[in-house]
Every structure is written in structure tokens, then in C-alpha cells.
């Protein structure tokens, strides 16, 4: 069970941790290993264009040794056709049905291309993949992606690597309010309070990479993110007090 007492279910995959870590940007394999262990993650995403499926990069071998489930991604793809091909190669090479679908519109923003993403998602879901899809914070598009068979939707908090936090909390809440699949906040996380906010907004999990791998102390930041996700999940479940315009004494006068 998770630190909050419940499991995250994505498709048929059960996870005890609600923190998903990316491997990009790590200064060394040793630093990455310390961060992964501190994070408590059970699912880690790897860009197929940078990983050596035979384990030559060392990342895959490290994940296997730590017993962390692999989530290959299609980062760097610019079209649905390219993403579908990359996903199929990943499935064949790594023997997993999990795929994090990313189709970027351009190199400067790394924002998702909504049309190509929707096209690829429909093809991959029909092909039996468990699709976790990186998307804009657009509630309509998130719903469409769910309808074509995605197992989880992953709206961005802010563009990849910016560390700007969640720029549009209202849209994230709208996505959460209608989703029937897990919502994983992806991209833009800068520090622990961003991860807590994502969980307080009702997200089921958080995926981050740069905030940990490029922190001055990745291991300590990974531990902070682990605690932040747990705190946000607990707070969401506990139910916050209503926000008021005027003060209200905590102890009513007699």
C-alpha cells in the first residue's frame, strides 16, 4: 500500500507510489540511483531515443536492478506516425505494454501537438497499449484522449523544464472533475510545493524529472518530492476548510 494507504491503478498496473520520476538530466548514474531510491518511485520514464535497449546506456540496467517498472516514452517525436513507430519498437524491445505518449509541436516550447497526439493515442490504444498521454491543460482535449482509450491523462503544469509550477490550476481542477482515468500532473514542477498543489487539486500522481535531476542535491529533492506528494494526497482526502473573505475566530465567543 502507499504511504497514504491506497494504490494507484493505471490500466492493469498497480503502484504503491504516486510519484513517477523521469531519468533525463541526471549528472551520473550514481546520482540517479540515489535519487530514485529516495523518491520511492515504482515507475520511471525513459526516452526511447536516448536509451539503449540492450542496456548499454546503463539506465535500463539500473532500473532492472532496482526493480523499478519502466515507462518508455516517445519524447522527440513530431508526428503521430513517428510516435506510433517508436512505441511499437519500445514494446518489442522492452516487453511492456506501457507507453508515455509525447508528440511535441516544436523544439522551443516542447508543447504537445494536440491533433497528432490524439491521432497517435487512438492508434496505440487500439493496438493494446496502456497509454499515458502527455497533453496540454485543456479539459476538452483531456476528455477526448480518455474517450479514445488512454489509461491516464497527463496535463502539463507548465512547459517542460521551466520549473514554473502549475500555471492554470483551474484547468487542472476541471480535468480532474470529469476524468474517469487517473490524472497525472506532468511537466513544470519546480519544487515540492508544486507537487503538493497538484495532489491537493485532485491529481492522482505527479511525474517530474528536471526538478530532481538538476537540483543541487537530487537525492534530498527526491525525498522532498516524495513527502510533498504524500502530503498533498492526505490533504486532498482530509478536505480543506472553506476559504473566507473575513476572519472567523477559531474558538467562538461565549
Amino acid at each position: 500500500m502507499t504511504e497514504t494507504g491506497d494504490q494507484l491503478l493505471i490500466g492493469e498496473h498497480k503502484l504503491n507510489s504516486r510519484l513517477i520520476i523521469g531519468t533525463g538530466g541526471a549528472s551520473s548514474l550514481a546520482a540517479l540511483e540515489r535519487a530514485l531510491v529516495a523518491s520511492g518511485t515504482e515507475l520511471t520514464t525513459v526516452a526511447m531515443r536516448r536509451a539503449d535497449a540492450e542496456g548499454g546506456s546503463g539506465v535500463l540496467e539500473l532500473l532492472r536492478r532496482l526493480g523499478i517498472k519502466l515507462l518508455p516514452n516517445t519524447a522527440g517525436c513530431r508526428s503521430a506516425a513517428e510516435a506510433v513507430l517508436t512505441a511499437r519498437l519500445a514494446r518489442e524491445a522492452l516487453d511492456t505494454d506501457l507507453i508515455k505518449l509525447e508528440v511535441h509541436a516544436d523544439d522551443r516550447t516542447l508543447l504537445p501537438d494536440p491533433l497528432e497526439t490524439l491521432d497517435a493515442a487512438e492508434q496505440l490504444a487500439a493496438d493494446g497499449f496502456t497509454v499515458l498521454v502527455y497533453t496540454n491543460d485543456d479539459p476538452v482535449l483531456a476528455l477526448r484522449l480518455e474517450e479514445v482509450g488512454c489509461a491516464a491523462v497527463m496535463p502539463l503544469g507548465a512547459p517542460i523544464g521551466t520549473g514554473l509550477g502549475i500555471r492554470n490550476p483551474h484547468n487542472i481542477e476541471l480535468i480532474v472533475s470529469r476524468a474517469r482515468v487517473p490524472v497525472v500532473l506532468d511537466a513544470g514542477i519546480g519544487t515540492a510545493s508544486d507537487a503538493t498543489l497538484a495532489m491537493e487539486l485532485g491529481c492522482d500522481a505527479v511525474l517530474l524529472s528536471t526538478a530532481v535531476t538538476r537540483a543541487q542535491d537530487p537525492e534530498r529533492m527526491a525525498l522532498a518530492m516524495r513527502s510533498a506528494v504524500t502530503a498533498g494526497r492526505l490533504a486532498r482526502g482530509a478536505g480543506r476548510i472553506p476559504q473566507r473573505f473575513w476572519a472567523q475566530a477559531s474558538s467562538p465567543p461565549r
Side-chain angles (χ1 to χ4, degrees), residues 80-93:
E82 198 175 0
V84 169
L85 175 60
T86 301
R88 288 173 176 164
L89 290 174
R91 179 168 62 182
E92 187 171 331

Side-chain angles (χ1 to χ4, degrees), residues 23-88:
T23 55
S27 60
S28 68
L29 276 179
L32 178 61
E33 179 172 358
R34 289 193 294 273
L36 289 173
V37 171
S39 74
T41 190
E42 295 179 330
L43 184 64
T44 300
T45 184
V46 174
M48 286 308 298
R49 293 187 164 205
R50 292 192 285 271
D52 178 350
E54 300 300 323
S57 68
V59 174
L60 300 184
E61 184 179 335
L62 171 64
L63 298 180
R64 291 186 183 114
R65 179 161 56 80
L66 294 177
I68 297 175
K69 193 171 291 187
L70 183 64
L71 174 60
N73 71 51
T74 63
C77 292
R78 295 286 182 272
S79 67
E82 198 175 0
V84 169
L85 175 60
T86 301
R88 288 173 176 164

Side-chain angles (χ1 to χ4, degrees), residues 49-190:
R49 293 187 164 205
R50 292 192 285 271
D52 178 350
E54 300 300 323
S57 68
V59 174
L60 300 184
E61 184 179 335
L62 171 64
L63 298 180
R64 291 186 183 114
R65 179 161 56 80
L66 294 177
I68 297 175
K69 193 171 291 187
L70 183 64
L71 174 60
N73 71 51
T74 63
C77 292
R78 295 286 182 272
S79 67
E82 198 175 0
V84 169
L85 175 60
T86 301
R88 288 173 176 164
L89 290 174
R91 179 168 62 182
E92 187 171 331
L94 303 173
D95 191 28
T96 178
D97 68 317
L98 286 166
I99 192 73
K100 183 193 174 193
L101 174 61
E102 297 184 45
V103 184
H104 298 158
D106 57 64
D107 289 332
R108 187 163 190 181
T109 66
L110 294 178
L111 290 172
D113 182 316
L115 299 180
E116 296 294 323
T117 297
L118 184 60
D119 184 6
E122 187 167 16
Q123 292 185 55
L124 291 173
D127 198 16
F129 282 90
T130 299
V131 182
L132 294 81
V133 58
Y134 171 60
T135 179
N136 295 296
D137 59 0
D138 178 346
V140 176
L141 179 58
L143 198 57
R144 296 289 178 268
L145 289 165
E146 180 182 329
E147 288 171 349
V148 300
C150 291
V153 292
M154 310 178 76
L156 55 80
I160 291 172
T162 61
L164 290 171
I166 300 174
R167 308 307 290 172
N168 197 338
H170 181 60
N171 273 21
I172 299 299
E173 284 188 299
L174 286 174
I175 291 172
V176 167
S177 71
R178 297 200 291 181
R180 291 165 297 176
V181 297
V183 177
V184 182
L185 197 288
D186 184 10
I189 296 291

